[in-house]
Amino acid sequence: MKQPTQENAPILEALERLKQMRIVPFDVPGHKRGRGNKVLTDFLGEKCMSVDVNSMKPLDNLCHPVSVIKDAENLAAEAFGAAHAFFMVGGTTSSVQAMVFTACKRGDKIILPRNVHRSVINAMILCGAVPVYINPQMDKMLGIPLGMSINDVKKAIRENPDAKAVLVNNPTYYGICSNIKEIVKLAHANNMLLLADEAHGTHFYFSDRLPIAAMHAGADMAAVSLHKSGGSLTQSSMLFISDKISEGYARQIINLTQTTSGSYLLMSSLDVSRRNLALNGKKIIDDVINMVEYARGEINNIGDYYAYSREKVNNDSIYDFDITKLSVYTRSIGLAGIEVYDILRDEYDIQTEFGDLANLLAYVSVGDRPRDIERLVSALAEIRRIYKKDSSGMLEAEYISPKVMLPPQEAFYTNKEDAVLLDKAVGRVCTEFVMCYPPGIPILAPGELVTEEILEYIHYAKDKGCQMTGPEDMDLQYLNVMG
């Protein structure tokens, strides 16, 4: 049989062949190609429901791929410059957790920035790894955490020579990149693995105008959200490994938590998106960059707003910047980013990615059109004209260095736990998460001390309309703490 090339999409092609076979399904799923659920079929379409199928010999099996899924994963590895790729159907959360589980066992240390996604800390709760946090530097004006300084990484490695891995965000939600190539060298020189959370970095692999991609920089593992900027379906992701990692062991780790009923809708979307990026990625990403550069210029011409870019680079904690990220500082019009986010959605029918206490992020990618950019720019200009107010009295967004009292697993699974009123929690050790979502970076994580500063931040974020997630009490009136 002919070896597949980047022009092929093996999973898509297998599903097309299946549709020609007129098979009578006496297997799951129970909707039987949509016939058993007319409302859902009318909503999603018969074409979609007809390929929502289970693993079978012609379609391979995600847990143990030997044919079409294996071919699709091999093509993805080739396209992204990895030794091997795994198709993941539990989102990049599952990819990130598989990285941590592969690198660390209970009691093993992992060096990482504190502004990680909650999935990383969840992984430590599950496997018992112990975090060595590098507190990121802060941009005082923008109020955003930056990347990891090389000196801070060196210090963490020197003080924790027994750590198993270093994890890097490449990039952060705001588009900030650390010097990942240098951090790879430091990790490897000290017998540590380099893990990269590239949830927001799919496009790095297909453009020479962007920061370096993790696998190109020599990382050992990278978790990549193709659904975010690569065009695949929500919840689809890829995990890439270098030849230093055992493919068989990584697959075993993945299969500890990944479903045995992998969605062919998600897998085919990964396959098709990889083909599209491999064949057309450079032009696609060029178009995105050009749209964002245009939008950035127009927004900065409105006045007061600040759409920032590579001028922020300092060759250390901001080693590089993802110029496809349309991050906009809003505090100078007297509104928090989350307030602008809400006005855009409620009054202009524009849904942006997220707003925090000082910034707004509009995610621009493969599916955006110039006319949509014009609409966003016009809305921002109008919001400034109508809503601008004095910005004095707004909370200065400072990075709050957490006081880690216990490893996340020990705190989360403690038997001694009290639920106390939020304002009575100062001085107690938190046993759960508190975060604004998105971006899903914890303000408090299990094992961290509750301080007055943290409480002030939580109250301010709630008042501004940030969606607070994580705690058992959905209204965050109460917080679980160590007894």
Side-chain angles (χ1 to χ4, degrees), residues 420-423 425 430 432-436 443-444 454-455 457-459 461-462 466-480:
V420 300
L421 283 166
L422 183 63
D423 289 331
C430 186
E432 57 184 353
F433 288 99
V434 178
M435 69 201 91
C436 298
I443 300 163
L444 274 171
I454 286 169
L455 278 194
Y457 185 94
I458 290 170
H459 282 305
K462 281 178 76 176
C466 291
Q467 186 182 356
M468 308 302 285
T469 67
E472 194 174 318
D473 174 15
M474 301 284 277
D475 297 323
L476 194 50
Q477 302 295 317
Y478 290 85
L479 189 68
N480 289 343

Side-chain angles (χ1 to χ4, degrees), residues 296-326:
R296 198 177 276 121
E298 291 295 297
I299 291 166
N300 285 333
N301 284 338
I302 293 169
D304 294 318
Y305 293 115
Y306 174 33
Y308 39 97
S309 187
R310 278 195 169 132
E311 74 280 354
K312 301 297 291 181
V313 167
N314 61 18
N315 293 316
D316 190 25
S317 57
I318 311 176
Y319 184 75
D320 207 346
F321 184 81
D322 174 8
I323 54 175
T324 72
K325 289 285 184 293
L326 188 52

Side-chain angles (χ1 to χ4, degrees), residues 114 403-408 410-414 416-418 420 422 425-435 442-451 454 458 470-472 476 478-483:
R114 176 55 179 77
K403 295 183 171 61
V404 180
M405 314 302 285
L406 288 171
E410 191 177 332
F412 186 83
Y413 287 116
T414 181
K416 299 174 182 173
E417 189 173 72
D418 293 333
V420 300
L422 183 63
V426 173
R428 307 287 290 273
V429 176
C430 186
T431 61
E432 57 184 353
F433 288 99
V434 178
M435 69 201 91
I443 300 163
L444 274 171
E448 295 179 358
L449 192 70
V450 183
T451 63
I454 286 169
I458 290 170
E472 194 174 318
L476 194 50
Y478 290 85
L479 189 68
N480 289 343
V481 295
M482 293 281 286

Side-chain angles (χ1 to χ4, degrees), residues 146-312:
L146 306 177
M148 292 195 289
S149 158
I150 290 297
N151 282 336
D152 288 345
V153 175
K154 284 179 178 173
K155 180 172 182 285
I157 288 175
R158 190 168 61 248
E159 291 174 358
N160 300 274
D162 53 341
K164 300 295 181 187
V166 180
L167 186 141
V168 180
N169 294 319
N170 195 51
T172 69
Y173 220 141
Y174 300 91
I176 309 272
C177 292
S178 303
N179 185 351
I180 190 168
K181 206 166 184 180
E182 190 60 32
I183 297 171
V184 165
K185 285 183 193 164
L186 287 170
H188 288 171
N190 290 275
N191 297 314
M192 298 175 192
L193 297 175
L194 192 290
L195 317 179
D197 179 349
E198 276 190 316
H200 300 278
T202 304
H203 44 298
F204 286 8
Y205 288 86
F206 301 97
S207 175
D208 54 10
R209 296 170 66 186
L210 296 175
I212 191 167
M215 297 312 293
H216 297 169
D220 299 295
M221 305 183 83
V224 179
S225 273
L226 256 77
H227 72 89
K228 287 190 171 72
S229 60
S232 66
L233 290 177
T234 296
Q235 204 177 304
S236 60
S237 173
M238 288 192 195
L239 175 63
F240 297 106
I241 62 172
S242 73
D243 55 12
K244 276 179 68 176
I245 306 292
S246 160
E247 176 194 335
Y249 182 66
R251 176 90 61 194
Q252 281 188 324
I253 292 289
I254 290 165
N255 286 341
L256 289 175
T257 55
Q258 180 151 269
T259 178
T260 53
S261 305
S263 165
Y264 280 87
L265 299 176
L266 297 181
M267 286 188 276
S268 61
S269 80
L270 286 171
D271 202 17
V272 172
S273 298
R274 179 273 313 154
R275 181 175 69 181
N276 190 30
L277 289 168
L279 300 180
N280 310 305
K282 187 177 186 314
K283 183 186 184 309
I284 289 168
I285 307 306
D286 274 349
D287 289 347
V288 171
I289 291 170
N290 294 339
M291 270 193 290
V292 175
E293 294 286 21
Y294 169 76
R296 198 177 276 121
E298 291 295 297
I299 291 166
N300 285 333
N301 284 338
I302 293 169
D304 294 318
Y305 293 115
Y306 174 33
Y308 39 97
S309 187
R310 278 195 169 132
E311 74 280 354
K312 301 297 291 181

